[in-house]
Amino acid sequence: MSRTSPRIAVLGTGAQGASIGADLLRAGLDVTYIEQWPAHVEAMRARGIEVRLPDETHVTPVHPLHLCEVATLREPFDIVFIVVKAYDTRWVAELIAPHVAEDGLVVGVQNGMTQDAIAAAVGAHRTMGAVIEVASNMFEPGIVNRQTPVSGSWFAVGAYDDAARGREHEVQAVLSHTGRVDVSPDIRSSKWMKLVANAGELVPSAILDLPLASAVALPGVHDFMIECGKEAARAALADGSRLVPIFGLSDDAVTDPDRYAADLLGAVLDSFSLPDTNTTVLQDWMKGRHAEYDEVNGLVVSVLAAAGQEAPYNAHTVRLAKEIEAGRMPRSAANLDVLLDVPGRG
């Protein structure tokens, strides 16, 4: 990468992507937004992106493009941050591949194990994985509610394989404008650890139609979430990954899979959420959108099934999520008994 100031794209400028991009722009970097929500693009063109933080609000002028305008681009990007939903990763990676510099980098700043799809589209030598822990939401075009300030935001970045090894600092330097950034020597394991936390928190609280903290306070829910995380930790090991520290934790925080699953959920609850924080899944359902349960809980089920193991808590979570998306069951706190009635649990 020859440019002293890299040309950057944020592909997917919802709550997380738009907020990250705003911090980079405010740091003086060259950033282009690429977005699939037409009203959001037009709102940002007219008014900039408004980011509402707990203690301040700032409005930043941006240069947003509709997806259909990507084909008009001529100058390649040096760094592309992909911040779409996990299930959209493959097609957006293919979309942006022709517009990435040969020595550029594409970074999946997402939940789920998305780095394989990115590498398949742009090549392992241009692929970086990332883990993000920031609470935010967006319900109006052009307006982000970011509940985690820069001082409390955390990221990890790591090369997909040896082809990109040694270039993590290039991404770290850019993302450091929007939070603390650690370099992970094993980003696949780091992303699995984030999935361990996500497996317990994202979908169960959404099934109950409650903010995460309110859901955890209901009898039996915290234990249910931990069981989902335990299964996810076992899936990570079955997939060939290791238990590694994330969320800024130290090596001595890594214990056995069951204990560490509980500790990761505790870190999310203690450090990265507010009393009114809704998970991304609940936000999607509130907007009538498909959510990432297959890419999180569903992955746990499939990985353990391939290893000859069962994942009753995650399988039950996926079943209920499908019922809600099909319109056969409302999301509601009245689902508590149904949620806790797990078929096949030991």
Side-chain angles (χ1 to χ4, degrees):
M1 193 178 298
S2 58
R3 293 168 59 99
T4 56
S5 180
R7 188 163 184 260
I8 298 165
V10 180
L11 178 48
T13 57
Q16 303 285 49
S19 176
I20 291 169
D23 287 337
L24 304 188
L25 282 164
R26 287 162 63 82
L29 299 180
D30 179 356
V31 182
T32 297
Y33 282 29
I34 302 172
E35 174 56 37
Q36 59 182 313
W37 184 11
H40 184 36
V41 173
E42 296 306 320
M44 290 190 291
R45 283 178 173 171
R47 304 187 299 274
I49 184 67
E50 179 178 337
V51 180
R52 299 172 179 174
L53 292 149
D55 298 320
E56 63 176 329
T57 295
H58 55 73
V59 178
T60 306
V62 300
H63 175 55
L65 298 176
H66 293 285
L67 281 179
C68 61
E69 295 176 301
V70 170
T72 69
L73 294 169
R74 294 296 178 264
E75 186 178 357
F77 294 107
D78 299 302
I79 299 177
V80 175
F81 294 105
I82 294 182
V83 205
V84 298
K85 295 298 180 181
Y87 51 72
D88 283 331
T89 302
R90 184 175 296 278
W91 71 265
V92 298
E94 294 284 359
L95 175 75
I96 204 64
H99 306 286
V100 181
E102 181 52 38
D103 63 344
L105 295 170
V106 179
V107 190
V109 190
Q110 305 156 284
N111 292 327
M113 306 299 288
T114 60
Q115 62 268 33
D116 292 331
I118 295 172
V122 306
H125 68 292
R126 297 194 291 185
T127 301
M128 287 277 167
V131 181
I132 178 174
E133 193 56 34
V134 178
S136 62
N137 62 72
M138 173 184 287
F139 291 96
E140 300 177 63
I143 300 175
V144 175
N145 300 294
R146 179 167 170 174
Q147 296 183 309
T148 312
V150 169
S151 60
S153 300
W154 179 86
F155 300 82
V157 298
Y160 178 75
D161 66 14
D162 288 342
R165 196 86 60 198
R167 300 189 63 191
E168 295 89 347
H169 67 281
E170 298 173 35
V171 179
Q172 183 183 37
V174 171
L175 279 181
S176 65
H177 295 293
T178 193
R180 170 181 168 176
V181 186
D182 293 335
V183 172
S184 170
D186 182 359
I187 195 62
R188 183 176 295 274
S189 292
S190 295
K191 287 184 75 66
W192 259 116
M193 296 303 98
K194 175 65 184 300
L195 194 146
V196 169
N198 286 162
E201 60 164 325
L202 296 186
V203 186
S205 61
I207 290 169
L208 297 169
D209 197 31
L210 290 172
L212 180 57
S214 298
V216 170
L218 294 179
V221 172
H222 188 250
D223 289 342
F224 179 94
M225 291 179 171
I226 290 175
E227 291 300 326
C228 287
K230 288 179 181 179
E231 292 175 358
R234 292 194 285 273
L237 297 176
D239 196 47
S241 288
R242 303 176 298 116
L243 304 181
V244 298
I246 63 169
F247 302 152
L249 298 173
S250 60
D251 287 334
D252 59 10
V254 180
T255 52
D256 63 274
D258 289 358
R259 172 65 184 275
Y260 195 37
D263 289 346
L264 289 177
L265 178 59
V268 171
L269 295 170
D270 293 341
S271 302
F272 297 103
S273 60
L274 297 177
D276 62 344
T277 296
N278 292 324
T279 67
T280 59
V281 171
L282 181 52
Q283 292 179 45
D284 283 336
W285 285 350
M286 292 170 71
K287 299 171 187 175
R289 295 184 56 184
H290 175 50
E292 296 171 315
Y293 54 84
D294 276 328
E295 291 73 20
V296 177
N297 305 86
L299 182 63
V300 173
V301 175
S302 61
V303 168
L304 285 182
Q309 302 178 49
E310 295 183 346
Y313 285 84
N314 282 277
H316 183 54
T317 298
V318 171
R319 281 193 297 270
L320 296 183
K322 289 181 176 179
E323 288 294 299
I324 288 172
E325 287 204 352
R328 292 187 291 265
M329 185 175 82
R331 61 179 197 271
S332 169
N335 293 332
L336 178 60
D337 290 342
V338 175
L339 177 69
L340 300 181
D341 185 15
V342 182
R345 61 182 171 184

